[in-house]
Amino acid sequence: MRAWAVLVAAGQGERAGLPVNKVFYPLEGRTPLSRCLDTLEKSGLFEGIVVVLSKDGFLTYNAIAEREGKCALVKSVVAGGKTRQESVFAGLRVIPEDVELVAIHDAARPFAKENLFAETLKAAEETGSGIISTEVTDTIKQMENGRAVATPDRASLRAVQTPQSFRLNEIMRAHMEAIEQGYAGTDDASLYERTFGSATLVLADGARENVKLTYKRDFARGDMRIGTGYDVHRLVEGRDLVLCGVKIPYEKGLLGHSDADVALHALMDAMLGAIGEGDIGRHFPDSDEQYKGIESTKLLSHVVRLAREKGYILGNCDVTIVAQRPKLAFFMEEMRANVAYYTGVDASRVNIKATTTEKLGFEGEGLGISAQAVAIMRSVEI
């Protein structure tokens, strides 16, 4: 059966707090709108696509199409209305009358896979409608005046998404009846149910990944950033030698404003670099007396909190300590456990190693110790 798609991109996305409509905002190098168009085109299910935009979105859409590539299946680009319901109807009206099926999808759901469209279209062909849904895993409370008055059985509940597919003539009838009677539905399925009694819910693999972009933090979903760090301190008498928070028995220690833990300093620089927050000199200047003699594990805890506030946690790290002496092999596991503890990750995500320079350079001559670090920071919901 012939099928078209209506891609709804007319909202403003005010909750996202972005400078543009969220469907135009880059998501790992490509806008959500373009990602949806890619999926619709690659699916091979559709003869045409109608894109519904806000009245002020046409110039931005054209610029994105030039930059990210035009979708040959886009047959019409139309202006939406004041509500999503009005916008969907504006898209439905331009589909040729001899088209049999239509899939309606929100451009704010850019992770929808091809199989979701295929399964809803199949259900629509057989029953008139096909609605993607997921099982509800949380306990749901019915509220009145701020108090819970009922707990519905979640086994009977479904969370509904788009795509939602229908026989074109039936969903057009449902929309027109809603207009005539002044009814505002929560989605297209609610309009269909009001006219025809029920809609077919489809549980499909991949539906849980079909998340809707709502807040700015959603655009960091899956984001991974890499940073590098390097630090060096001089070895002197009369100081403790501290590496990764572990006190190492040795005749000399590292000179610095804090405890001069060169390994943690390199790691913190790598973490800060990954999230675009400069280096430890910016956050803990040696001109500030509050950091004099401070344990670097406390500074690391601060960096971890800062990263978390920005929506990132440590994915994994690799730290290399360069020292001719002392031998550090005996302390490696304790160092590793320390870093894991203060960063809040499993020890399997932390690697600490040491090497010599075959007596070359300042490390080889025993004048100082240096450290290098690589950190991967991954995004999480705040």
Side-chain angles (χ1 to χ4, degrees):
M1 299 182 76
R2 299 180 61 198
W4 275 47
V6 173
L7 186 59
V8 187
Q12 296 300 316
E14 295 179 355
R15 286 179 293 178
L18 298 170
V20 295
N21 183 341
K22 61 188 176 183
V23 302
F24 297 148
Y25 193 80
L27 178 66
E28 296 181 12
R30 197 158 178 80
T31 60
L33 178 60
S34 291
R35 288 174 178 271
C36 289
L37 290 173
D38 289 345
T39 301
L40 292 170
E41 186 172 29
K42 291 176 182 176
S43 72
L45 298 167
F46 302 99
E47 293 184 8
I49 301 171
V50 180
V51 177
V52 186
L53 301 172
S54 59
K55 293 179 180 179
D56 60 355
F58 285 79
L59 288 177
T60 305
Y61 169 78
N62 290 333
I64 290 171
E66 289 295 328
R67 183 177 70 245
E68 301 187 5
K70 296 180 179 180
C71 176
L73 285 184
V74 175
K75 306 301 182 183
S76 296
V77 181
V78 300
K82 295 180 180 179
T83 66
R84 182 187 181 280
Q85 187 168 313
E86 292 178 2
S87 296
V88 172
F89 187 62
L92 292 173
R93 290 178 62 185
V94 300
I95 297 177
E97 292 182 0
D98 59 347
V99 170
E100 295 148 300
L101 301 176
V102 59
I104 301 167
H105 188 56
D106 294 329
R109 291 187 184 272
F111 307 117
K113 301 301 182 184
E114 296 170 17
N115 71 297
L116 302 187
F117 293 95
E119 295 193 34
T120 59
L121 286 171
K122 180 181 178 182
E125 182 178 3
E126 295 174 351
T127 70
S129 63
I131 317 299
I132 283 295
S133 65
T134 60
E135 294 174 326
V136 175
T137 57
D138 295 326
T139 296
I140 304 298
K141 296 290 185 181
Q142 182 180 340
M143 304 292 291
E144 289 183 8
N145 300 320
R147 293 180 178 272
V149 296
T151 305
D153 179 8
R154 63 187 178 192
S156 66
L157 301 175
R158 293 292 184 270
V160 172
Q161 308 172 346
T162 64
Q164 299 184 1
S165 296
F166 307 91
R167 291 181 185 140
L168 178 60
N169 64 333
E170 293 182 1
I171 192 62
M172 280 292 291
R173 176 183 162 188
H175 267 270
M176 288 188 288
E177 287 189 5
I179 292 172
E180 292 170 0
Q181 298 167 16
Y183 175 74
T186 56
D187 62 357
D188 300 288
S190 65
L191 303 186
Y192 188 90
E193 291 164 11
R194 188 169 183 268
T195 299
F196 296 99
S198 64
T200 303
L201 294 182
V202 177
L203 288 169
D205 290 339
R208 289 214 171 273
E209 288 73 45
N210 183 29
V211 295
K212 186 177 182 181
L213 301 175
T214 303
Y215 301 102
K216 188 173 183 179
R217 63 174 177 262
D218 295 331
F219 285 79
R221 190 183 302 271
D223 189 19
M224 182 179 71
R225 300 186 177 191
I226 300 175
T228 63
Y230 172 80
D231 198 33
V232 58
H233 284 278
R234 182 187 299 275
L235 282 167
V236 297
E237 294 181 352
R239 293 269 298 188
D240 290 331
L241 176 58
V242 181
L243 296 171
C244 292
V246 178
K247 188 177 292 187
I248 311 295
Y250 190 53
E251 61 200 36
K252 295 181 179 180
L254 293 170
L255 180 63
H257 186 64
S258 64
D259 63 4
D261 188 331
V262 67
L264 290 189
H265 290 187
L267 174 59
M268 287 187 281
D269 271 352
M271 295 170 65
L272 290 168
I275 62 174
E277 280 291 332
D279 58 18
I280 57 174
R282 170 178 158 186
H283 293 270
F284 318 113
D286 58 14
S287 58
D288 193 329
E289 285 298 306
Q290 69 174 311
Y291 301 122
K292 185 174 183 179
I294 194 171
E295 298 172 2
S296 292
T297 51
K298 293 181 179 179
L299 304 182
L300 178 59
S301 295
H302 176 88
V303 170
V304 169
R305 287 194 299 272
L306 174 64
R308 180 71 190 190
E309 289 169 2
K310 291 178 69 75
Y312 291 89
I313 62 173
L314 183 67
N316 68 284
C317 65
D318 187 18
V319 180
T320 302
I321 302 169
V322 184
Q324 194 66 39
R325 292 182 60 211
K327 299 300 181 184
L328 300 174
F330 178 77
F331 305 97
M332 286 299 168
E333 286 306 310
E334 187 178 357
M335 292 184 192
R336 185 184 190 190
N338 247 12
V339 171
Y341 174 79
Y342 285 102
T343 57
V345 302
D346 187 82
S348 65
R349 296 181 178 270
V350 176
N351 190 59
I352 311 292
K353 56 185 184 289
T355 186
T356 69
T357 62
E358 300 296 332
K359 299 186 178 180
L360 297 175
F362 67 87
E363 299 103 331
E365 295 175 11
L367 300 177
I369 294 176
S370 68
Q372 303 173 29
V374 176
I376 292 179
M377 305 296 288
R378 61 184 181 88
S379 63
V380 292
E381 289 192 10
I382 300 175

